Amino acid sequence: MKVEMPHRYKVDAQESYTLPSDYYTSEEAHRMDKEKVFYKNWIYAGHIEKVDVPGKYFTFQIFDQNIMVVKGKDNVIRGFYNVCPHRGHELLEGEGKKTVITCPYHAWTFRLDGQFNRGRAVDQIKNFNHDESCLTPVRIEVFLNFIFVNLDPEAKSLQEMMPGLEEEIRSNIPQLDGLTLSHRIKYDIKANWKNVIDNYLECHHCQVAHPQFIELIDMKSYKVNTHDYYISQTSNSKGKLVCNANAEANDEEIETYLSYWLWPTLAIDIMPGEAGLIVMYIEPNGPESSIEYLEFYYLTKEPSEEGLENIKYQDEVLTPEDITLVESVQRGLRSKGYVDGRYVVDNERTSISEHGVHHFHGLVLKALERI
Ligand code: FES
Ligand SMILES: [Fe+2]
Protein backbone atom coordinates (compact mmCIF):
# COMPACT_ATOMS: atom_id res chain seq x y z
CA MET A 1 0.00 0.00 0.00
CA LYS A 2 1.34 3.41 -0.96
CA VAL A 3 1.61 5.67 2.06
CA GLU A 4 0.15 9.14 1.61
CA MET A 5 2.98 11.63 1.72
CA PRO A 6 1.55 14.62 -0.10
CA HIS A 7 3.80 17.42 -1.36
CA ARG A 8 3.47 20.76 -3.12
CA TYR A 9 6.52 20.36 -5.36
CA LYS A 10 6.23 21.83 -8.87
CA VAL A 11 8.62 21.43 -11.78
CA ASP A 12 8.80 25.21 -12.00
CA ALA A 13 10.95 26.24 -9.04
CA GLN A 14 9.28 29.68 -8.99
CA GLU A 15 5.97 28.06 -8.09
CA SER A 16 7.20 25.16 -6.07
CA TYR A 17 7.33 24.30 -2.39
CA THR A 18 10.18 22.30 -0.86
CA LEU A 19 10.02 18.64 0.16
CA PRO A 20 7.68 18.40 3.16
CA SER A 21 9.17 17.71 6.54
CA ASP A 22 7.94 14.10 6.82
CA TYR A 23 10.28 13.22 3.93
CA TYR A 24 13.10 14.09 6.33
CA THR A 25 11.78 12.62 9.55
CA SER A 26 9.56 9.57 9.07
CA GLU A 27 10.43 5.87 9.14
CA GLU A 28 8.36 5.52 5.99
CA ALA A 29 10.45 8.06 4.07
CA HIS A 30 13.60 6.31 5.28
CA ARG A 31 12.32 2.97 4.02
CA MET A 32 11.36 4.51 0.65
CA ASP A 33 14.78 6.16 0.30
CA LYS A 34 16.44 2.81 0.97
CA GLU A 35 14.40 0.86 -1.60
CA LYS A 36 14.04 3.47 -4.32
CA VAL A 37 17.17 5.58 -4.03
CA PHE A 38 19.95 3.55 -2.41
CA TYR A 39 19.14 0.13 -3.85
CA LYS A 40 18.76 1.59 -7.34
CA ASN A 41 21.47 4.16 -7.84
CA TRP A 42 25.24 4.46 -8.11
CA ILE A 43 26.69 4.58 -4.62
CA TYR A 44 30.28 5.60 -3.95
CA ALA A 45 32.45 2.77 -2.64
CA GLY A 46 36.02 4.13 -2.67
CA HIS A 47 39.09 4.88 -4.75
CA ILE A 48 40.53 2.25 -7.13
CA GLU A 49 43.77 2.32 -5.12
CA LYS A 50 41.97 0.25 -2.45
CA VAL A 51 42.08 -2.68 -4.89
CA ASP A 52 45.31 -1.86 -6.70
CA VAL A 53 46.57 -5.45 -7.11
CA PRO A 54 44.83 -8.81 -7.73
CA GLY A 55 43.39 -10.26 -4.54
CA LYS A 56 42.85 -6.92 -2.78
CA TYR A 57 39.32 -6.44 -1.47
CA PHE A 58 37.21 -4.24 0.74
CA THR A 59 33.68 -4.43 2.07
CA PHE A 60 31.10 -1.74 2.67
CA GLN A 61 27.40 -1.30 3.40
CA ILE A 62 24.50 0.14 1.44
CA PHE A 63 21.95 0.21 4.27
CA ASP A 64 21.68 -3.45 5.32
CA GLN A 65 23.34 -4.80 2.20
CA ASN A 66 26.94 -5.85 2.77
CA ILE A 67 28.97 -5.63 -0.43
CA MET A 68 32.50 -6.77 -1.32
CA VAL A 69 34.66 -5.22 -4.00
CA VAL A 70 37.54 -7.40 -5.14
CA LYS A 71 40.17 -7.34 -7.88
CA GLY A 72 40.46 -10.63 -9.78
CA LYS A 73 43.59 -12.34 -11.07
CA ASP A 74 42.60 -10.93 -14.47
CA ASN A 75 42.83 -7.39 -13.00
CA VAL A 76 39.08 -6.86 -13.30
CA ILE A 77 37.39 -5.12 -10.35
CA ARG A 78 34.16 -6.93 -9.43
CA GLY A 79 31.48 -6.47 -6.82
CA PHE A 80 29.44 -9.15 -5.04
CA TYR A 81 26.94 -9.38 -2.24
CA ASN A 82 29.07 -10.41 0.72
CA VAL A 83 27.14 -13.57 1.46
CA CYS A 84 27.88 -17.27 1.14
CA PRO A 85 25.52 -19.14 -1.20
CA HIS A 86 25.55 -22.15 1.18
CA ARG A 87 23.72 -20.96 4.30
CA GLY A 88 24.26 -17.23 4.18
CA HIS A 89 27.28 -16.47 6.36
CA GLU A 90 29.14 -13.26 5.53
CA LEU A 91 32.34 -14.03 3.66
CA LEU A 92 34.76 -11.15 4.11
CA GLU A 93 35.33 -8.48 6.72
CA GLY A 94 36.96 -5.07 6.43
CA GLU A 95 39.67 -5.02 3.82
CA GLY A 96 42.72 -7.07 2.88
CA LYS A 97 44.18 -9.43 0.30
CA LYS A 98 43.27 -13.04 -0.52
CA THR A 99 44.08 -15.58 -3.20
CA VAL A 100 40.80 -17.35 -2.61
CA ILE A 101 37.69 -16.43 -0.61
CA THR A 102 36.95 -18.91 2.18
CA CYS A 103 33.68 -18.88 4.07
CA PRO A 104 34.28 -18.80 7.84
CA TYR A 105 31.28 -21.10 8.51
CA HIS A 106 31.79 -24.42 6.62
CA ALA A 107 34.82 -23.41 4.55
CA TRP A 108 33.37 -23.38 1.07
CA THR A 109 35.83 -21.54 -1.15
CA PHE A 110 35.30 -19.16 -4.06
CA ARG A 111 37.59 -17.77 -6.71
CA LEU A 112 38.22 -14.04 -6.86
CA ASP A 113 35.91 -13.84 -9.88
CA GLY A 114 33.07 -15.21 -7.73
CA GLN A 115 33.07 -18.76 -9.12
CA PHE A 116 32.44 -21.64 -6.73
CA ASN A 117 35.74 -23.41 -6.03
CA ARG A 118 35.36 -26.17 -3.43
CA GLY A 119 33.10 -27.42 -0.66
CA ARG A 120 33.55 -30.63 1.31
CA ALA A 121 31.25 -33.43 0.17
CA VAL A 122 29.21 -31.29 -2.20
CA ASP A 123 29.73 -33.80 -5.00
CA GLN A 124 27.82 -36.38 -2.97
CA ILE A 125 24.62 -34.28 -3.12
CA LYS A 126 22.19 -34.95 -5.94
CA ASN A 127 22.41 -32.54 -8.86
CA PHE A 128 24.79 -30.13 -7.12
CA ASN A 129 25.40 -27.43 -9.66
CA HIS A 130 28.60 -25.42 -9.19
CA ASP A 131 27.19 -22.56 -11.26
CA GLU A 132 24.28 -22.14 -8.83
CA SER A 133 26.72 -21.70 -5.99
CA CYS A 134 28.68 -18.72 -7.26
CA LEU A 135 28.70 -15.36 -5.53
CA THR A 136 25.91 -13.00 -6.58
CA PRO A 137 27.39 -10.10 -8.52
CA VAL A 138 26.52 -6.41 -8.21
CA ARG A 139 27.29 -3.82 -10.85
CA ILE A 140 30.51 -1.85 -10.58
CA GLU A 141 31.58 1.20 -12.51
CA VAL A 142 34.84 3.11 -12.26
CA PHE A 143 34.32 6.81 -12.80
CA LEU A 144 37.13 9.34 -12.23
CA ASN A 145 39.18 6.55 -10.55
CA PHE A 146 36.40 6.06 -8.02
CA ILE A 147 34.47 2.81 -7.67
CA PHE A 148 30.69 2.99 -7.65
CA VAL A 149 28.27 0.14 -6.96
CA ASN A 150 24.69 -0.24 -8.15
CA LEU A 151 22.39 -2.97 -6.82
CA ASP A 152 19.95 -2.47 -9.69
CA PRO A 153 20.89 -4.69 -12.65
CA GLU A 154 18.72 -2.52 -14.93
CA ALA A 155 20.22 0.87 -14.01
CA LYS A 156 21.73 3.13 -16.66
CA SER A 157 25.50 3.41 -16.52
CA LEU A 158 27.02 6.38 -14.72
CA GLN A 159 28.67 7.56 -17.92
CA GLU A 160 25.24 7.59 -19.56
CA MET A 161 23.64 9.41 -16.63
CA MET A 162 26.37 12.04 -16.42
CA PRO A 163 27.62 12.53 -19.99
CA GLY A 164 30.73 14.69 -20.30
CA LEU A 165 31.24 15.02 -16.55
CA GLU A 166 34.34 12.85 -16.28
CA GLU A 167 36.01 14.77 -19.13
CA GLU A 168 35.03 18.11 -17.56
CA ILE A 169 36.48 17.23 -14.16
CA ARG A 170 39.62 15.76 -15.72
CA SER A 171 40.16 18.91 -17.77
CA ASN A 172 40.00 20.94 -14.57
CA ILE A 173 42.40 18.73 -12.69
CA PRO A 174 44.89 17.15 -15.10
CA GLN A 175 46.79 15.59 -12.17
CA LEU A 176 43.78 13.41 -11.30
CA ASP A 177 45.48 10.06 -12.01
CA GLY A 178 48.27 10.91 -9.56
CA LEU A 179 45.99 11.59 -6.60
CA THR A 180 46.02 9.37 -3.52
CA LEU A 181 43.98 9.36 -0.31
CA SER A 182 45.84 11.54 2.19
CA HIS A 183 43.29 11.97 4.92
CA ARG A 184 39.78 10.87 5.89
CA ILE A 185 37.40 12.27 8.49
CA LYS A 186 34.05 10.93 9.71
CA TYR A 187 31.25 12.99 11.23
CA ASP A 188 28.04 11.79 12.87
CA ILE A 189 25.31 14.23 12.00
CA LYS A 190 21.88 14.41 13.60
CA ALA A 191 20.13 15.11 10.33
CA ASN A 192 18.51 13.23 7.48
CA TRP A 193 20.85 12.69 4.52
CA LYS A 194 18.71 14.88 2.23
CA ASN A 195 18.99 17.79 4.64
CA VAL A 196 22.81 17.53 4.42
CA ILE A 197 22.66 17.44 0.60
CA ASP A 198 20.22 20.38 0.50
CA ASN A 199 22.73 22.45 2.42
CA TYR A 200 25.55 21.43 0.08
CA LEU A 201 23.57 22.43 -3.00
CA GLU A 202 23.16 26.12 -2.26
CA CYS A 203 25.47 28.94 -1.29
CA HIS A 204 22.62 31.22 -0.23
CA HIS A 205 23.81 30.59 3.30
CA CYS A 206 27.51 31.23 2.57
CA GLN A 207 27.34 34.98 3.15
CA VAL A 208 25.66 34.40 6.49
CA ALA A 209 27.35 31.27 7.78
CA HIS A 210 30.80 30.94 6.16
CA PRO A 211 32.74 34.19 6.64
CA GLN A 212 36.10 32.64 5.73
CA PHE A 213 34.77 30.85 2.66
CA ILE A 214 33.44 34.05 1.12
CA GLU A 215 36.87 35.62 1.60
CA LEU A 216 38.27 32.89 -0.63
CA ILE A 217 35.57 32.81 -3.29
CA ASP A 218 34.45 35.58 -5.61
CA MET A 219 30.74 35.35 -4.91
CA LYS A 220 29.88 37.63 -7.84
CA SER A 221 31.06 34.97 -10.28
CA TYR A 222 29.38 32.09 -8.39
CA LYS A 223 27.13 29.96 -10.61
CA VAL A 224 24.99 26.92 -9.90
CA ASN A 225 24.41 24.73 -12.97
CA THR A 226 21.95 21.85 -12.91
CA HIS A 227 22.24 18.83 -15.21
CA ASP A 228 20.08 15.71 -15.27
CA TYR A 229 21.94 13.83 -12.53
CA TYR A 230 24.62 16.24 -11.34
CA ILE A 231 24.98 19.84 -10.28
CA SER A 232 28.06 21.98 -10.54
CA GLN A 233 28.84 25.08 -8.50
CA THR A 234 31.69 27.17 -9.83
CA SER A 235 33.34 30.42 -8.95
CA ASN A 236 36.54 32.34 -9.49
CA SER A 237 38.75 32.41 -6.46
CA LYS A 238 39.90 35.59 -4.78
CA GLY A 239 43.11 34.04 -3.63
CA LYS A 240 44.60 30.81 -2.45
CA LEU A 241 43.34 28.82 0.42
CA VAL A 242 43.19 30.38 3.84
CA CYS A 243 46.66 31.04 5.28
CA ASN A 244 48.40 30.58 1.95
CA ALA A 245 46.47 33.37 0.33
CA ASN A 246 49.56 35.41 -0.37
CA ALA A 247 51.85 32.61 -1.50
CA GLU A 248 52.99 32.77 -5.09
CA ALA A 249 50.97 30.64 -7.50
CA ASN A 250 52.65 28.26 -9.92
CA ASP A 251 51.34 27.03 -13.28
CA GLU A 252 50.12 23.73 -11.87
CA GLU A 253 47.73 25.38 -9.48
CA ILE A 254 44.00 25.59 -9.73
CA GLU A 255 42.53 29.05 -9.87
CA THR A 256 38.85 28.38 -9.50
CA TYR A 257 36.54 26.82 -6.97
CA LEU A 258 34.64 23.90 -8.50
CA SER A 259 32.18 21.64 -6.85
CA TYR A 260 30.22 18.76 -8.31
CA TRP A 261 27.40 16.90 -6.69
CA LEU A 262 26.57 13.51 -8.17
CA TRP A 263 23.11 12.08 -7.50
CA PRO A 264 22.41 10.88 -4.88
CA THR A 265 25.08 11.32 -2.17
CA LEU A 266 28.52 12.18 -3.48
CA ALA A 267 30.21 15.54 -3.82
CA ILE A 268 33.62 16.41 -5.24
CA ASP A 269 35.22 19.74 -4.42
CA ILE A 270 38.25 21.22 -6.11
CA MET A 271 39.63 24.07 -4.05
CA PRO A 272 41.86 26.85 -5.38
CA GLY A 273 45.54 26.17 -4.84
CA GLU A 274 47.53 22.97 -5.19
CA ALA A 275 46.06 19.97 -7.04
CA GLY A 276 43.65 17.95 -4.94
CA LEU A 277 40.11 16.76 -4.54
CA ILE A 278 37.86 16.62 -1.54
CA VAL A 279 35.28 13.86 -1.70
CA MET A 280 32.28 14.17 0.57
CA TYR A 281 29.79 11.36 0.82
CA ILE A 282 26.83 10.82 3.03
CA GLU A 283 25.54 7.56 4.46
CA PRO A 284 22.04 7.55 5.92
CA ASN A 285 22.09 6.18 9.45
CA GLY A 286 18.43 6.28 10.37
CA PRO A 287 15.58 8.62 9.44
CA GLU A 288 17.18 11.54 11.25
CA SER A 289 20.84 10.80 11.31
CA SER A 290 23.62 10.32 8.82
CA ILE A 291 27.34 9.90 8.57
CA GLU A 292 29.43 12.27 6.52
CA TYR A 293 32.86 11.28 5.29
CA LEU A 294 35.40 13.74 3.97
CA GLU A 295 38.28 12.28 1.98
CA PHE A 296 41.21 14.42 0.91
CA TYR A 297 43.06 13.30 -2.20
CA TYR A 298 46.45 14.87 -2.92
CA LEU A 299 49.54 14.05 -4.95
CA THR A 300 51.30 12.68 -1.85
CA LYS A 301 50.12 10.45 1.01
CA GLU A 302 51.48 12.98 3.45
CA PRO A 303 49.61 16.23 2.83
CA SER A 304 51.72 19.32 2.14
CA GLU A 305 51.52 22.32 4.44
CA GLU A 306 48.84 23.77 2.21
CA GLY A 307 46.97 20.45 2.23
CA LEU A 308 47.08 20.37 6.03
CA GLU A 309 45.82 23.93 6.11
CA ASN A 310 42.91 22.90 3.90
CA ILE A 311 42.11 19.84 6.03
CA LYS A 312 42.20 21.94 9.17
CA TYR A 313 39.92 24.56 7.65
CA GLN A 314 37.40 21.97 6.44
CA ASP A 315 37.48 20.05 9.73
CA GLU A 316 37.55 22.91 12.20
CA VAL A 317 35.63 25.63 10.43
CA LEU A 318 33.59 24.85 7.31
CA THR A 319 32.13 21.43 8.22
CA PRO A 320 31.19 22.37 11.82
CA GLU A 321 29.51 25.51 10.45
CA ASP A 322 27.41 23.36 8.11
CA ILE A 323 26.67 20.67 10.70
CA THR A 324 25.31 23.30 13.10
CA LEU A 325 23.00 24.54 10.34
CA VAL A 326 21.63 21.18 9.25
CA GLU A 327 21.12 19.91 12.80
CA SER A 328 19.11 23.02 13.61
CA VAL A 329 17.08 22.51 10.42
CA GLN A 330 16.46 18.88 11.41
CA ARG A 331 15.03 19.97 14.75
CA GLY A 332 12.96 22.55 12.87
CA LEU A 333 11.62 19.91 10.52
CA ARG A 334 10.07 18.19 13.54
CA SER A 335 8.35 21.39 14.61
CA LYS A 336 4.55 21.43 14.43
CA GLY A 337 5.05 24.94 13.09
CA TYR A 338 6.71 23.87 9.82
CA VAL A 339 5.73 21.70 6.85
CA ASP A 340 7.43 23.06 3.75
CA GLY A 341 8.83 26.31 2.39
CA ARG A 342 9.62 28.18 -0.85
CA TYR A 343 12.80 28.13 -2.93
CA VAL A 344 14.62 31.40 -3.44
CA VAL A 345 15.55 31.27 -7.10
CA ASP A 346 16.79 33.88 -9.54
CA ASN A 347 17.04 33.69 -13.29
CA GLU A 348 20.77 34.39 -13.36
CA ARG A 349 21.33 31.37 -11.14
CA THR A 350 23.65 33.30 -8.88
CA SER A 351 25.12 32.39 -5.54
CA ILE A 352 21.89 32.99 -3.65
CA SER A 353 19.71 30.88 -5.94
CA GLU A 354 18.34 27.62 -4.54
CA HIS A 355 17.45 25.99 -7.85
CA GLY A 356 20.03 23.26 -7.17
CA VAL A 357 18.04 22.22 -4.09
CA HIS A 358 14.85 22.29 -6.17
CA HIS A 359 16.50 20.08 -8.81
CA PHE A 360 17.61 17.58 -6.15
CA HIS A 361 14.11 17.41 -4.66
CA GLY A 362 12.74 16.69 -8.14
CA LEU A 363 15.15 13.74 -8.46
CA VAL A 364 14.11 12.44 -5.04
CA LEU A 365 10.40 12.65 -5.86
CA LYS A 366 10.95 11.00 -9.25
CA ALA A 367 12.91 8.17 -7.64
CA LEU A 368 10.14 7.71 -5.06
CA GLU A 369 7.55 7.76 -7.89
CA ARG A 370 5.79 10.76 -6.40
CA ILE A 371 5.89 12.92 -9.55
S1 FES B 1 27.61 -20.74 5.05
FE1 FES B 1 29.40 -20.58 3.94
S2 FES B 1 30.19 -22.55 3.83
FE2 FES B 1 28.35 -22.75 4.90
FE1 LIG C 1 27.74 25.52 3.83
Side-chain angles (χ1 to χ4, degrees):
M1 191 192 77
K2 198 160 168 173
V3 178
E4 282 298 318
M5 286 183 58
H7 63 79
R8 298 195 286 169
Y9 182 87
K10 296 267 185 351
V11 174
D12 180 357
Q14 298 274 3
E15 295 181 7
S16 183
Y17 286 78
T18 60
L19 274 186
S21 48
D22 54 350
Y23 282 77
Y24 296 86
T25 57
S26 69
E27 287 286 347
E28 184 53 30
H30 189 56
R31 192 193 59 75
M32 292 192 314
D33 286 351
K34 175 177 82 169
E35 303 278 344
K36 310 263 187 194
V37 178
F38 287 85
Y39 287 177
K40 289 191 177 293
N41 283 284
W42 291 100
I43 304 300
Y44 175 78
H47 193 275
I48 49 168
E49 69 184 0
K50 291 180 86 169
V51 285
D52 54 354
V53 294
K56 279 275 216 62
Y57 70 86
F58 65 92
T59 63
F60 78 107
Q61 295 278 135
I62 302 176
F63 276 76
D64 52 357
Q65 299 303 303
N66 198 250
I67 306 298
M68 68 165 95
V69 173
V70 54
K71 186 174 239 180
K73 293 197 172 123
D74 53 1
N75 273 310
V76 175
I77 300 172
R78 296 182 177 83
F80 303 100
Y81 288 97
N82 187 13
V83 60
C84 180
H86 176 217
R87 299 241 316 277
H89 198 284
E90 285 180 341
L91 291 167
L92 296 175
E93 253 185 74
E95 53 187 69
K97 192 169 173 222
K98 301 263 184 208
T99 49
V100 71
I101 298 165
T102 304
C103 179
Y105 202 175
H106 314 98
W108 281 21
T109 60
F110 305 88
R111 293 204 270 273
L112 300 175
D113 62 2
Q115 295 300 306
F116 175 80
N117 187 41
R118 295 174 73 156
R120 281 168 300 153
V122 294
D123 292 330
Q124 296 166 28
I125 332 171
K126 269 192 203 160
N127 304 325
F128 182 79
N129 181 347
H130 285 206
D131 293 341
E132 274 175 10
S133 295
C134 299
L135 306 186
T136 307
V138 295
R139 288 178 62 195
I140 290 274
E141 194 165 324
V142 175
F143 189 81
L144 288 164
N145 295 342
F146 297 116
I147 299 166
F148 291 80
V149 170
N150 198 323
L151 304 186
D152 179 3
E154 308 295 323
K156 274 195 206 168
S157 79
L158 255 181
Q159 287 285 1
E160 243 180 298
M161 290 174 77
M162 304 182 189
L165 178 60
E166 176 151 23
E167 294 73 15
E168 181 179 328
I169 295 180
R170 280 184 178 276
S171 73
N172 283 306
I173 177 154
Q175 307 91 333
L176 185 96
D177 289 329
L179 298 179
T180 183
L181 179 66
S182 292
H183 194 71
R184 187 168 190 257
I185 317 175
K186 179 182 171 189
Y187 304 92
D188 285 302
I189 305 182
K190 292 189 210 70
N192 179 271
W193 69 277
K194 298 188 288 300
N195 176 357
V196 183
I197 301 290
D198 290 351
N199 175 66
Y200 181 83
L201 288 176
E202 50 94 352
C203 211
H204 191 181
H205 69 278
C206 293
Q207 196 83 33
V208 188
H210 300 312
Q212 267 180 273
F213 185 72
I214 60 161
E215 282 302 304
L216 175 69
I217 302 300
D218 169 27
M219 294 307 282
K220 285 200 220 68
S221 64
Y222 202 98
K223 285 269 177 272
V224 183
N225 303 300
T226 58
H227 304 264
D228 286 351
Y229 290 101
Y230 71 94
I231 294 174
S232 67
Q233 299 181 70
T234 59
S235 153
N236 297 330
S237 66
K238 287 203 283 203
K240 280 177 58 178
L241 201 105
V242 211
C243 297
N244 292 306
N246 299 319
E248 236 170 75
N250 68 45
D251 294 348
E252 301 277 278
E253 291 192 336
I254 295 159
E255 287 169 7
T256 45
Y257 166 71
L258 300 152
S259 104
Y260 296 91
W261 165 78
L262 282 61
W263 161 258
T265 49
L266 183 79
I268 295 172
D269 276 21
I270 302 172
M271 302 297 282
E274 69 173 28
L277 288 182
I278 305 171
V279 167
M280 175 189 98
Y281 65 101
I282 312 295
E283 269 178 23
N285 189 28
E288 295 192 86
S289 70
S290 45
I291 302 172
E292 174 177 326
Y293 295 94
L294 283 187
E295 292 183 342
F296 297 82
Y297 289 90
Y298 291 120
L299 291 168
T300 51
K301 274 267 167 234
E302 199 58 44
S304 67
E305 211 176 305
E306 187 180 322
L308 287 172
E309 207 52 69
N310 192 5
I311 292 166
K312 193 164 173 240
Y313 169 63
Q314 299 284 340
D315 186 35
E316 294 178 11
V317 182
L318 194 62
T319 306
E321 285 170 349
D322 280 324
I323 290 176
T324 305
L325 297 172
V326 299
E327 290 189 339
S328 171
V329 166
Q330 191 68 36
R331 293 189 296 276
L333 290 165
R334 294 203 71 82
S335 167
K336 289 181 190 298
Y338 183 87
V339 177
D340 55 15
R342 297 295 304 270
Y343 301 97
V344 174
V345 283
D346 65 33
N347 291 333
E348 284 74 46
R349 314 210 134 194
T350 64
S351 65
I352 61 155
S353 186
E354 295 171 346
H355 58 279
V357 185
H358 171 263
H359 187 76
F360 168 52
H361 291 176
L363 288 174
V364 171
L365 289 168
K366 254 186 244 161
L368 304 184
E369 297 161 27
R370 302 279 156 158
I371 51 173

